[in-house]
């Protein structure tokens, strides 16, 4: 056999991306001239003839061992290069090949663990390294390196768990700690990390159990065995010193404290211990108001059913049906408030409602019912009133108000209903509304969504005491049932006394004796708050007549001119003839939606109401700067909102002139801009000069430059007499970190809201809280550059701060 040439393996030079320098990998040449395997082919014939087979086998085995070692070294070289080149999957393949080719060599385990560490998968890295420690003999020259890497992986995991614990991410930290325990059960690191997390959560009993488990699993030769024993002793002492605060409080104080908690918070309190659970369940005041949002809360509802007095059901049809069955069975008795929302769910049957109302009707005072479109047979309205004689507040939302719903209205029986919210998708006809109003003579508040033009005349005919009326105002109907959002509606006597005081005050302010005589003859009964947003089913003339009939009593007026009817927007003349605005001294607040309304008509109406205190103008597309001349003359104006003026004729100069005029006057306290394109640099510069401002809100005003925003913040921070307390920015891309941090130097500022401001990041929030000395509340939402970890860091910068993170990526801090 001819002599074979020596084998040479040549690797081309490649760039080393994993080192600090940019040197080149030297060409690696493996020459096997000195290895015995190259002569095996020459010795083969001679060995066969001499029958020396064992010598050939020994020589081949030696050559294979040399080739395997060199092959593993080449795989290690390639795996290292691939891993530093971010090609982790290919590097891991080479690492596992090294382990398979040479399982007794530490090199493969070290390289595979190193690649897992670069990926951030410390659990996998530690698992591979521990596998290597159990497979590689201690005589291996790299065994010590393997031990060192395993300790470093454990330390890195321990530091990561501690960092998550400081950020209050206990669930994630505990999961990693359990992974560490499962991978290395004889190490004390995992048990100490898990026990420390339990101690940070205040769960001393769980920490004791964890430390005890660790002492059973960890050998005494472990270097941290004594530390684990000390941790157990500290946890035991902490558990012995714990104070059960409920056992020290009188039952009255305990009930008062629990009554302030929500249902999820009460559930957490019951999970503390059995004694806490029994005390919470015995607390009657805590369960008087209950809100059911899920079917999983029904077992708790059944347990505390006898304490419930105010029940709100916002869950599936099964939960609603179960609650109504509890009411029918008198397990929930003496109910005063019942709210049921079935807008997006299947409602219970009418029979189930009647069975429940038959039991709880005599005590029910507030009832809110919302039915979906699919529910074609809601319980009739009049029958509900018959079964609930003490009912004062009723919200009744249905897709169609049928004549059957008011069947039986011919009876002479009267109801004591004072608040009625009636929502239907189709127009409410006169017979239907009349059937309800004629039996509710004590109505003080009426909210309607759609009614025919002739229905307006029925309100003063049957309900002479009504004080609040709203028609088609969507933000009222959407939040129906929340009567606290509606202005206070007092009784007849209170209104009479208040009216007398206002008459005396107006007499002092008025200079016309004829006006004095007219005010003395002012009627006591009438609307105090009126909100009408017109649609295609109500003509302007009927609205004007209805407003004029209440011109002597109305104090708050909201009008939507041309709402929902595009052809009506050009009919300005009926609104110009409103008798309401002929020198009215009682009107305090107006809210207008002014699409294509004449500026002169608006100025005339506002000019004849000198006691106006709050003005909100929406859809200001037809207004000009002349409106500011009228606003300057209103001496009591303290609240101004301008919105919806993308194509408005109001200018930046007009706004700046208005703020310059009122800068030194102590009247304007609240200002709000929403979607107003004229708000630009001059407006902000002049707005900063108004010293009486207490609240500023700027939403989606894209005409402001970054430079003007910086000047605005600087002027507010430098003002020594500024009384600004609350500021809100929404969707303002021009506000930067520097401007936000500068606002933290405003001496009187206590509340701030920043939503959807794309240029605010972690640095800006940290700098803001470092400078903000009067911090009370900060609300952040939709700022994608701000991380939760930043807000946790800021907690340490703000003493006595309470934090809450929501699912919508919003963060709120309160003192």
């Amino acid at each position: 056999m001819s002599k074979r040439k020596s084998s040479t393996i040549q690797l081309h030079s490649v760039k080393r991306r994993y080192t600090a320098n940019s040197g080149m990998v030297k060409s690696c040449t493996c020459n096997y001239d000195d290895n015995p395997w190259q002569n095996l082919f020459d010795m083969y014939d001679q060995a066969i003839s001499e029958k020396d087979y064992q010598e050939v086998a020994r020589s081949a085995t030696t050559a294979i061992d040399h080739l395997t070692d060199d092959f593993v070294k080449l795989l290690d070289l390639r795996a290292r290069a691939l891993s530093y080149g971010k090609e982790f999957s290919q590097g891991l393949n080479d690492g596992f090949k090294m382990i398979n080719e040479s399982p007794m060599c530490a090199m493969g385990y070290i390289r595979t663990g190193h690649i897992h560490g670069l990926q951030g998968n410390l659990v996998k890295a530690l698992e591979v390294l521990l596998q290597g420690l159990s497979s590689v003999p201690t005589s291996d020259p790299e065994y010590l390196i393997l031990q060192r890497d395993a300790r470093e992986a454990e330390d890195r995991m321990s530091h990561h768990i501690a960092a998550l614990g400081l950020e209050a991410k206990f669930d994630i930290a505990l999961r990693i700690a359990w992974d560490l325990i499962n991978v290395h059960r004889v190490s004390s690191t995992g048990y100490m990390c898990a026990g420390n997390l339990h101690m940070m959560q205040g769960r001393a009993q769980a920490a004791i159990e964890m430390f005890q488990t660790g002492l059973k699993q960890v050998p005494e030769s472990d270097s941290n065995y004594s530390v684990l024993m000390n941790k157990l002793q500290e946890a035991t002492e902490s558990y012995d010193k714990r104070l059960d605060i409920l056992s020290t409080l009188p039952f009255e104080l305990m009930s008062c404290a629990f009554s302030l908690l929500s249902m999820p918070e009460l559930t957490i309190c019951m999970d503390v211990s059995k004694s806490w659970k029994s005390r919470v369940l015995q607390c009657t005041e805590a369960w008087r108001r209950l809100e059911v949002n899920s079917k999983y809360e029904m077992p708790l509802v059944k347990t505390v059913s006898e304490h419930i007095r105010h029940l709100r059901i916002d869950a599936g049809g099964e939960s609603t049906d179960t609650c109504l069955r509890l009411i029918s069975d008198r397990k929930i008795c003496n109910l005063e408030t019942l709210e049921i929302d079935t807008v997006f769910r299947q409602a219970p049957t009418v029979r189930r409602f009647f069975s429940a109302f038959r039991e709880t009707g005599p005590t029910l005072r507030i009832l809110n019912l919302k039915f979906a479109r699919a529910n074609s047979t809601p319980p009739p309205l009049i029958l509900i009133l018959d079964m609930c004689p003490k009912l004062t507040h009723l919200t009744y939302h249905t897709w169609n108000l049928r004549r059957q719903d008011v069947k039986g209205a011919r009876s002479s029986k009267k109801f004591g209903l004072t608040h009625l919210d009636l929502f239907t998708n189709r127009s409410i006809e006169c017979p239907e509304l009349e059937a309800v109003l004629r039996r509710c003579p004590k109505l003080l508040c009426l909210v309607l969504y759609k009614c025919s033009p002739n229905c307006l005349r029925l309100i003063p005919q049957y309900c002479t005491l009504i004080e609040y009326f709203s028609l088609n105002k969507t933000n009222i109907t959407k939040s129906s049932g929340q009567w606290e959002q509606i202005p206070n509606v007092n009784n007849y006597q209170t209104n009479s006394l208040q009216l007398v005081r206002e008459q005396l005050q107006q007499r002092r302010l008025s200079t016309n004796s004829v006006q004095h005589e007219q005010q003395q003859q002012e009627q006591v009964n009438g609307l105090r708050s009126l909100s009408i947003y017109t649609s295609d089913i109500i003509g302007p003339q009927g609205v004007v007549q209805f407003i004029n009939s209440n011109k002597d009593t109305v104090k708050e007026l909201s009008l939507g001119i041309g709402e929902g009817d595009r052809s009506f927007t050009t009919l300005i003349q009926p609104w110009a003839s409103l008798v309401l605005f002929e020198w009215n001294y009682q009107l305090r607040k107006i809210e207008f939606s002014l699409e294509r309304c004449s500026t002169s008509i608006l100025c005339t109406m506002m000019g004849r109401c000198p006691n106006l205190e709050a003005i909100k103008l929406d859809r200001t597309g037809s207004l000009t700067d002349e409106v500011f001349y009228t606003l300057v003359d209103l001496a009591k104006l303290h609240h101004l909102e301008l919105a919806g003026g993308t194509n408005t004729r109001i200018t930046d100069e007009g706004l700046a002139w208005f703020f310059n005029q009122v800068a030194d006057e102590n009247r304007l306290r609240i200002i709000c801009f929403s979607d107003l394109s004229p708000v630009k640099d001059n407006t902000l510069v002049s707005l900063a000069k108004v010293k009486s401002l207490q609240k500023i809100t700027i939403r989606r005003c894209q005409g402001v430059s970054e430079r003007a925003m910086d000047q605005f913040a600087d002027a507010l921070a430098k003002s020594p007499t500024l009384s600004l307390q609350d500021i809100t920015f929404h969707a303002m891309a021009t506000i930067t970190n520097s401007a936000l941090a500068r606002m933290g130097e405003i001496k009187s500022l206590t509340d701030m809201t920043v939503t959807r401001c794309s240029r605010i990041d972690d640095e800006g929030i940290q700098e803001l809280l470092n400078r903000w000395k009067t911090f009370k509340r900060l609300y952040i939402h939709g700022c994608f550059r701000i991380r939760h970890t930043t807000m946790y860091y800021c907690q340490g910068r703000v003493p006595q701060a309470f934090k809450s993170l929501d699912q919508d990526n919003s963060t709120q801090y309160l003192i």
Side-chain angles (χ1 to χ4, degrees):
M1 182 179 235
S2 62
K3 186 177 180 180
R4 296 177 61 91
K5 296 182 179 179
S6 63
S7 298
T8 302
I9 300 177
Q10 178 74 30
L11 294 181
H12 296 286
S13 300
V14 293
K15 199 166 185 178
R16 297 181 64 184
R17 291 177 289 179
Y18 51 90
T19 56
N21 55 9
S22 59
M24 309 295 288
V25 177
K26 297 181 180 180
S27 60
C28 180
T29 302
C30 299
N31 195 331
Y32 296 100
D33 290 338
D34 298 332
N35 292 329
W37 70 272
Q38 65 163 350
N39 299 321
L40 292 178
F41 299 99
D42 298 334
M43 298 168 55
Y44 179 75
D45 295 334
Q46 182 180 357
I48 292 297
S49 62
E50 296 179 359
K51 297 183 180 182
D52 193 4
Y53 308 119
Q54 294 182 356
E55 182 64 28
V56 175
R58 284 194 299 269
S59 300
T61 302
T62 305
I64 289 172
D65 292 339
H66 283 284
L67 285 174
T68 302
D69 293 341
D70 293 335
F71 179 64
V72 170
K73 293 178 181 178
L74 290 174
L75 286 175
D76 180 66
L77 178 63
R78 187 170 71 173
R80 182 170 56 180
L82 291 172
S83 63
Y84 284 113
K86 307 300 182 182
E87 299 178 10
F88 299 114
S89 59
Q90 298 181 16
L92 285 174
N93 290 335
D94 287 345
F96 289 125
K97 286 181 182 179
M98 295 165 61
I99 295 175
N100 293 332
E101 292 292 337
S102 183
M104 305 292 288
C105 179
M107 188 180 301
Y109 301 101
I110 294 174
R111 182 57 55 204
T112 305
H114 179 68
I115 296 175
H116 280 307
L118 290 177
Q119 288 181 298
N121 196 345
L122 298 178
V123 177
K124 288 288 186 181
L126 181 59
E127 185 177 1
V128 171
L129 293 172
L130 292 176
Q131 181 184 355
L133 288 174
S134 61
S135 302
V136 177
T138 57
S139 59
D140 191 289
E142 295 182 345
Y143 186 83
L144 297 178
I145 300 177
L146 197 61
Q147 282 185 328
R148 183 199 63 189
D149 290 349
R151 286 195 300 269
E152 289 181 356
E154 277 194 15
D155 293 340
R156 288 180 61 186
M157 291 184 67
S158 176
H159 293 320
H160 184 50
I161 293 171
L164 291 174
L166 293 176
E167 295 176 3
K169 298 180 180 180
F170 298 112
D171 294 339
I172 302 175
L174 281 172
R175 186 166 62 249
I176 298 175
W178 274 109
D179 290 340
L180 179 56
I181 293 173
N182 293 330
V183 171
H184 201 187
R185 289 189 175 274
V186 296
S187 174
S188 60
T189 305
Y191 300 101
M192 285 196 298
C193 290
N196 291 335
L197 290 173
H198 288 312
M199 291 296 294
M200 294 174 67
Q201 290 179 293
R203 302 170 59 188
Q205 180 64 33
I208 292 173
E209 295 176 359
M210 182 58 63
F211 291 139
Q212 289 176 347
T213 305
L215 290 174
K216 294 178 181 179
Q217 298 291 336
V218 178
E220 297 183 3
S221 59
D222 191 286
S223 58
N224 292 325
Y225 188 85
S226 59
V227 179
L228 197 60
M229 294 184 62
N230 294 334
K231 291 287 185 180
L232 175 60
Q233 184 178 359
E234 293 176 3
T236 305
E237 293 176 355
S238 176
Y239 183 77
D240 294 336
K241 293 180 180 179
R242 71 191 189 280
L243 174 64
D244 187 2
I245 190 172
L246 292 186
S247 61
T248 62
L249 288 177
F251 185 79
E252 293 77 7
L253 292 180
M254 182 184 66
S255 300
C256 181
F258 282 140
S259 64
L260 302 176
L261 302 181
S262 62
M263 187 172 179
E265 293 170 339
L266 289 171
T267 305
I268 295 174
C269 292
M270 289 192 296
D271 292 338
V272 173
S273 63
K274 293 182 179 179
S275 61
W276 275 52
K277 183 176 181 179
S278 62
R279 289 190 179 100
V280 174
L281 291 177
Q282 292 172 2
C283 181
T284 304
E285 296 295 331
W287 304 107
R288 286 189 174 274
R289 296 184 179 274
L290 197 62
E291 181 174 353
V292 181
N293 296 315
S294 172
K295 64 179 181 180
Y296 302 105
E297 299 174 353
M298 292 310 303
L300 180 61
V301 174
K302 296 178 181 179
T303 305
V304 299
S305 58
E306 60 181 3
H307 303 320
I308 301 175
R309 297 294 180 268
H310 308 273
L311 179 62
R312 173 179 172 81
I313 308 172
D314 191 10
E318 181 181 353
S319 300
T320 305
D321 193 73
T322 304
C323 290
L324 293 178
R325 188 181 295 109
L326 292 174
I327 297 175
S328 304
D329 298 339
R330 299 191 62 82
K331 293 183 179 179
I332 300 180
C333 54
N334 299 325
L335 200 62
E336 299 178 6
T337 302
L338 177 61
E339 301 182 23
I340 300 177
D341 188 352
T342 63
V343 174
F344 302 105
R345 305 170 181 90
Q346 183 64 34
T349 61
V350 177
R351 180 177 299 179
R352 179 67 66 189
F353 274 109
F354 283 159
S355 178
F357 290 151
R358 191 178 297 110
E359 299 298 334
T360 191
T363 60
L364 203 61
R365 297 182 182 274
I366 300 177
L367 178 61
N368 299 332
L369 299 176
K370 297 181 182 180
F371 300 96
R373 180 177 183 179
N375 300 324
S376 57
T377 57
L381 176 62
I382 294 299
L383 292 182
I384 292 177
L385 295 177
D386 282 329
M387 300 178 70
C388 306
K390 294 184 179 181
L391 199 64
T392 59
H393 294 66
L394 175 61
T395 299
Y396 189 82
H397 287 196
T398 180
W399 187 255
N400 286 321
L401 183 65
R402 307 164 301 163
R403 293 185 182 274
Q404 293 86 344
D405 297 336
V406 295
K407 187 177 180 180
R410 296 180 180 179
S411 174
S412 60
K413 183 179 179 180
K414 305 295 183 182
F415 303 118
L417 200 66
T418 59
H419 293 67
L420 175 61
D421 182 352
L422 198 57
F423 180 97
T424 179
N425 191 61
R426 70 172 181 86
S427 176
I428 303 175
E429 300 298 333
C430 284
E432 300 163 355
L433 185 61
E434 183 179 8
V436 178
L437 296 183
R438 68 189 302 174
R439 302 187 65 180
C440 302
K442 297 182 180 181
L443 271 182
L444 300 177
C445 178
L446 179 60
V447 179
L448 299 176
Y449 186 79
K450 291 187 179 180
C451 71
S452 63
N454 295 329
C455 289
L456 293 178
R457 63 177 176 81
L458 300 175
I459 297 175
Q461 180 179 354
Y462 293 103
C463 305
T464 58
L465 300 179
I466 195 166
E467 300 179 1
Y468 180 92
F469 177 69
S470 175
L471 176 65
N472 298 340
K473 194 171 183 181
T474 55
N475 60 346
I476 291 291
T477 56
K478 287 182 180 179
S479 61
S480 177
Q482 300 179 4
W483 295 104
E484 62 273 8
Q485 296 184 359
I486 297 177
N488 293 329
V489 180
N490 302 319
N491 55 25
Y492 179 90
Q493 296 179 354
T494 305
N495 287 331
S496 300
L497 295 175
Q498 186 178 2
L499 190 60
V500 171
R501 297 191 190 98
E502 292 179 356
Q503 289 177 355
L504 294 176
Q505 184 179 4
Q506 292 172 7
R507 181 180 298 179
R508 299 189 194 99
L509 298 176
S510 178
T511 56
N512 193 336
S513 59
V514 178
Q515 294 177 356
H516 286 175
E517 296 177 359
Q518 294 178 353
Q519 294 170 3
Q520 290 176 355
Q521 299 176 357
E522 185 178 12
Q523 297 179 359
V524 175
N525 296 335
L527 289 172
R528 302 296 189 266
S529 180
L530 178 60
S531 174
I532 296 181
Y533 282 73
T534 60
S535 62
D536 54 350
I537 61 174
I538 294 183
Q541 198 62 37
V543 176
V544 172
Q545 294 175 357
F546 183 74
I547 295 177
N548 290 340
S549 63
N550 296 275
K551 63 183 179 65
D552 297 327
T553 57
V554 68
K555 297 179 181 179
E556 298 181 3
L557 178 63
S558 298
L559 294 179
I561 301 179
E563 269 306 302
D565 189 357
R566 310 300 298 180
S567 62
F568 175 61
T569 55
T570 57
L571 301 177
I572 307 293
Q573 188 59 33
W575 299 99
S577 60
L578 284 175
V579 182
L580 176 69
F581 295 100
E582 292 185 1
W583 294 106
N584 188 292
Y585 288 89
Q586 297 189 32
L587 201 61
R588 297 290 188 270
K589 176 182 178 181
I590 61 173
E591 180 179 344
F592 288 162
S593 181
L594 302 165
E595 189 170 1
R596 301 184 186 179
C597 179
S598 171
T599 304
S600 59
I601 294 177
L602 177 63
C603 292
T604 302
M605 291 191 293
M606 292 192 302
R608 292 178 178 179
C609 304
N611 292 332
L612 279 176
E613 298 176 356
I615 297 177
K616 179 180 180 180
L617 303 179
D618 194 6
R619 299 189 180 184
T620 57
S622 60
L623 296 186
T624 63
D625 289 342
E626 296 179 4
V627 70
F628 297 118
Y629 294 101
T630 304
L631 295 177
V632 169
D633 295 335
L634 298 177
K636 295 185 178 182
L637 181 64
H638 64 80
H639 186 158
L640 177 61
E641 294 188 30
L642 300 176
T646 305
N647 300 319
T648 183
R649 289 183 288 174
I650 295 176
T651 63
D652 183 31
E653 290 76 12
L655 287 167
W657 177 86
F658 170 72
F659 290 124
N660 287 329
Q661 295 296 318
V662 300
D664 298 328
E665 301 179 10
N666 187 19
R667 52 169 172 164
L668 195 61
R669 295 181 177 87
I670 301 175
I671 189 71
C672 178
F673 296 132
S674 299
D675 299 294
L676 203 62
S677 57
V679 177
K680 297 181 180 179
D681 299 358
N682 294 332
T683 301
L684 282 191
V685 173
S686 302
L687 181 63
K689 300 178 182 178
V690 183
K691 300 178 182 179
S692 59
L693 280 177
Q694 297 180 0
K695 182 178 180 179
I696 298 176
T697 301
I698 303 177
R699 301 190 185 98
R700 296 179 297 272
C701 296
Q702 306 302 334
V704 180
S705 65
E706 178 181 338
R707 177 174 173 272
M709 187 63 70
D710 292 338
Q711 293 179 352
F712 176 65
D714 190 66
L716 293 177
K718 290 182 179 179
S719 178
T721 59
L722 188 68
S723 58
L724 184 63
Q725 299 177 2
D726 190 347
I727 190 166
T728 299
F729 294 105
H730 175 76
M732 295 295 295
T734 55
I735 181 171
T736 59
N737 290 336
S738 59
L740 187 69
R742 194 75 172 102
M743 291 180 187
E745 300 179 7
I746 301 175
K747 298 180 180 179
S748 58
L749 188 65
T750 58
D751 297 78
M752 180 180 290
T753 301
V754 182
T755 58
R756 298 186 180 180
C757 295
S758 57
R759 301 186 63 181
I760 303 299
D761 57 16
D762 302 336
E763 182 181 355
I765 297 297
Q766 294 178 12
E767 188 63 26
L768 167 67
L769 293 180
N770 288 337
R771 300 186 186 185
W772 198 359
K773 306 301 181 183
T774 56
F775 173 95
K776 282 189 178 180
R777 177 184 176 274
L778 173 62
Y779 180 79
I780 301 173
H781 171 66
C783 301
F784 62 91
R785 292 173 180 253
I786 300 176
R787 299 172 296 179
H788 283 170
T789 53
T790 300
M791 305 313 297
Y792 283 117
Y793 164 78
C794 295
Q795 180 194 6
R797 313 292 296 181
V798 185
Q800 301 177 357
F802 169 79
K803 60 182 179 302
S804 64
L805 272 72
D806 303 328
Q807 294 181 355
D808 57 352
N809 197 25
S810 61
T811 305
Q812 182 171 357
Y813 280 83
L814 298 173
I815 285 184

